[in-house]
Amino acid sequence: MKQALIIFLGFAVGQSMAQGEWTMQQCMQYAVEHNHEVKRAALELDNYKATKTGSIGRFLPSVDASIGAQYNFGRAIDPETNGYTDVSTFYNGYSLYASLPVFDGFSRIHALKAAGASVLMGRQALRQKQDQTALNVMQAYTNVVYYEGLVKMADEKVQETELLLKQIRLLEEVGRKSAADVAQVESQKAEADYELTRQQNRYASAMLELKKTMAFPMSDELRVKSEECPFGLPSYHDERMAAANSSLLALHSSLQVARYQVQVSKHEWRQARAALLPALSLSAGLNTTYYHTLHSTGGASFGNQFKNNMGEYVGATLSIPLFNRLQTVTNIRKAKNNYRIAQETYMQKQIELEKLSREAWQDWQGYLKQTVQMVEKVEADSIAYQLTKRQFEEGLSTAIDLRTTSAQLLNSKATLLQCQLMTMVKEQLVRYYRGETIWSSERRAEFTPAIPSD
């Protein structure tokens, strides 16, 4: 009963979230948990962990056991007399073998270090996929809110033109407006209907894109909470959030992926150079046999032969590389080049992140100013439209003037909405480049990694 109650409560919570409005934070968290690219990155991380486990296992001895059975027909060697015999015999052998590499040019040590760096790289790659998924969801969410706002504006425009059309028809009946004026307003009404349909289609496409990015079921309803987005001037302006410095950029997941790739390449290069050194290994084992002549009642029992034929041995093997058709030299050269490539990639990523960080800061400041300017423009356009509408009703302006001011007001409102949404997006990007996790309250650990030297 307790387990059933827990399942029922979980299902009820899931249904309430599905039926309610989703905030941008909820959409990003859902995407991070369900996105397919994030899941693939998690599986790749598990592969890196498995590789590290295998690297640890290379320090342990290998133990093998074998059992063999053989029937001899015709001419064969008799194990008892070591001479040839023509009778059919049965031969059974048992062996246990163990080997331990003692020295291999430190190849295993570098392989373990490379595997450890790969695990760290896999964790940061997973974080990078999570961050990128959250950014994609944020962009898709913003598009949905933007087109939802345009749909509301277009719907208000339809209602307004319907009311205006009724007024114009009444004025036509009393002789204050002509049929041409009515036709022009009817054209505006048809244009408003067309614009509403177009924005509704764009909103539906944006919603599908958001569901795809979130890995959300396409058939389920998803409603976003547009009230979460700032529809007014942002209330603060933090000068300390200017372009992130090098210590903050070093916390970025994509830069840490490149950094750990440098470490992996460095240890792989050293592992390749280890092939030039000799390798020493120890081995030990024991074996025994059982022999029986077919169709014969004589011979020692299985227990006696198993004990009497038992043999043990120990050994050491020193392998000295002399010439392997230049394969070792080729592998070392390629590994060294890969290490240099990883270093260049790391330094290039540093420059790119610094550029993107400064660009996000500049865009944020620009959209803050544009939002202030567009607020004033919307107010001015709204006054101009109301005055033109009043003049049109009194016969002092034409329908073309009314249409022009109406389109100008609608365009200003759409631009203002876009500026407000982009202000929010760019602010999140600034926080993202400062090392903050925008899709949860968690923050990255603060440390300053340095690129490893030769």
Side-chain angles (χ1 to χ4, degrees):
M1 289 294 294
K2 184 177 180 180
Q3 184 178 6
L5 180 60
I6 293 176
I7 295 175
F8 174 76
L9 291 176
F11 178 77
V13 171
Q15 288 295 321
S16 62
M17 179 176 291
Q19 295 175 1
E21 293 182 337
W22 288 59
T23 64
M24 186 174 66
Q25 196 79 11
Q26 290 174 335
C27 290
M28 289 192 293
Q29 290 178 352
Y30 182 92
V32 167
E33 295 175 0
H34 296 83
N35 185 269
H36 300 295
E37 293 185 1
V38 175
K39 291 182 178 180
R40 285 199 297 267
L43 294 175
E44 291 176 359
L45 173 59
D46 189 65
N47 285 338
Y48 290 137
K49 293 180 179 179
T51 301
K52 183 179 179 180
T53 302
S55 300
I56 296 175
R58 292 180 58 185
F59 289 88
L60 303 176
S62 62
V63 180
D64 298 304
S66 64
I67 301 175
Q70 179 179 342
Y71 282 95
N72 296 324
F73 302 93
R75 190 173 179 82
I77 296 179
D78 189 346
E80 294 182 359
T81 62
N82 206 26
Y84 287 100
T85 179
D86 293 332
V87 298
S88 300
T89 57
F90 171 74
Y91 176 83
N92 193 200
Y94 302 86
S95 64
L96 182 64
Y97 172 81
S99 64
L100 175 65
V102 178
F103 179 77
D104 58 355
F106 306 106
S107 175
R108 291 171 297 166
I109 295 178
H110 293 303
L112 178 59
K113 291 182 178 180
S118 296
V119 172
L120 297 177
M121 181 180 66
R123 288 175 180 171
Q124 293 303 320
L126 175 60
R127 174 58 64 87
Q128 184 181 9
K129 286 295 183 182
Q130 292 173 336
D131 291 341
Q132 188 59 50
T133 299
L135 291 176
N136 294 337
V137 170
M138 182 176 64
Q139 184 62 50
Y141 186 96
T142 304
N143 290 337
V144 169
V145 175
Y146 175 67
Y147 290 122
E148 185 180 20
L150 293 184
V151 168
K152 293 179 180 178
M153 295 178 191
D155 185 61
E156 293 175 358
K157 184 63 178 178
V158 169
Q159 297 177 8
E160 185 178 350
T161 53
E162 287 179 351
L163 180 60
L164 180 61
L165 182 59
K166 292 180 181 179
Q167 294 176 353
I168 293 299
R169 286 174 176 172
L170 290 176
L171 293 175
E172 181 190 18
E173 293 178 358
V174 298
R176 295 182 57 184
K177 292 294 181 180
S178 63
D181 294 330
V182 176
Q184 288 179 351
V185 176
E186 289 177 346
S187 174
Q188 293 183 24
K189 172 64 169 56
E191 183 181 2
D193 292 336
Y194 163 78
E195 184 66 19
L196 176 60
T197 303
R198 189 170 73 95
Q199 298 302 338
Q200 287 175 342
N201 290 335
R202 298 174 71 179
Y203 169 76
S205 299
M207 181 60 71
L208 290 176
E209 181 64 24
L210 176 60
K211 289 182 178 181
K212 180 185 77 69
T213 308
M214 293 174 55
F216 192 84
M218 293 292 179
S219 58
D220 292 353
E221 181 184 5
L222 177 62
R223 292 184 297 171
V224 300
K225 186 177 181 181
S226 58
E227 289 78 9
E228 179 196 19
C229 300
F231 288 100
L233 182 64
S235 58
Y236 65 93
H237 183 82
D238 192 355
E239 292 291 346
R240 294 174 299 175
M241 290 186 63
N245 55 37
S246 58
S247 61
L248 293 176
L249 288 177
L251 301 174
H252 200 273
S253 56
S254 61
L255 187 60
Q256 292 200 52
V257 169
R259 170 180 173 264
Y260 288 124
Q261 182 60 55
V262 172
Q263 293 187 2
V264 172
S265 302
K266 179 184 67 175
H267 291 299
E268 289 178 348
W269 176 30
R270 294 179 178 178
Q271 185 180 0
R273 290 189 300 183
L276 296 174
L277 301 177
L280 176 64
S281 62
L282 301 178
S283 60
L286 52 88
N287 53 58
T288 185
T289 59
Y290 168 72
Y291 173 82
H292 178 67
T293 303
L294 300 179
H295 310 297
S296 174
T297 57
S301 64
F302 176 82
N304 290 335
Q305 290 193 42
F306 190 89
K307 180 179 180 181
N308 296 333
N309 295 339
M310 180 73 69
E312 301 88 7
Y313 68 91
V314 294
T317 302
L318 179 63
S319 177
I320 302 176
L322 297 177
F323 182 73
N324 63 345
R325 297 174 295 180
L326 303 179
Q327 292 301 311
T328 301
V329 177
T330 301
N331 294 335
I332 293 175
R333 182 177 178 181
K334 293 169 64 177
K336 182 178 180 180
N337 289 336
N338 291 335
Y339 174 59
R340 297 300 183 187
I341 291 173
Q343 285 184 317
E344 295 296 332
T345 302
Y346 178 85
M347 290 183 286
Q348 180 184 7
K349 183 63 67 174
Q350 279 184 316
I351 298 175
E352 291 179 355
L353 282 178
E354 185 175 0
K355 180 257 182 184
L356 292 174
S357 175
R358 294 182 180 275
E359 188 177 57
W361 167 261
Q362 293 175 0
D363 291 343
W364 184 37
Q365 299 305 304
Y367 279 114
L368 283 172
K369 297 177 181 178
Q370 292 177 29
T371 301
V372 176
Q373 296 166 355
M374 288 308 303
V375 168
E376 297 176 354
K377 189 175 187 302
V378 168
E379 293 178 355
D381 290 341
S382 179
I383 295 174
Y385 172 72
Q386 295 297 332
L387 292 176
T388 304
K389 181 179 177 183
R390 182 73 175 270
Q391 292 175 355
F392 176 74
E393 293 174 353
E394 296 176 355
L396 300 177
S397 64
T398 64
I400 297 178
D401 297 332
L402 180 63
R403 179 178 181 180
T404 301
T405 55
S406 175
Q408 186 175 358
L409 175 59
L410 184 62
N411 183 65
S412 298
K413 288 183 177 180
T415 305
L416 174 60
L417 175 61
Q418 183 182 24
C419 290
Q420 291 170 333
L421 293 176
M422 291 306 298
T423 300
M424 179 194 66
V425 171
K426 295 303 179 180
E427 178 190 354
Q428 294 300 321
L429 283 177
V430 170
R431 298 184 182 278
Y432 167 66
Y433 288 119
R434 285 176 56 87
E436 299 183 20
T437 304
I438 61 176
W439 49 270
S440 70
S441 58
E442 175 188 0
R443 294 178 181 267
R444 293 177 175 85
E446 295 188 1
F447 66 96
T448 307
I451 185 171
S453 61
D454 295 347

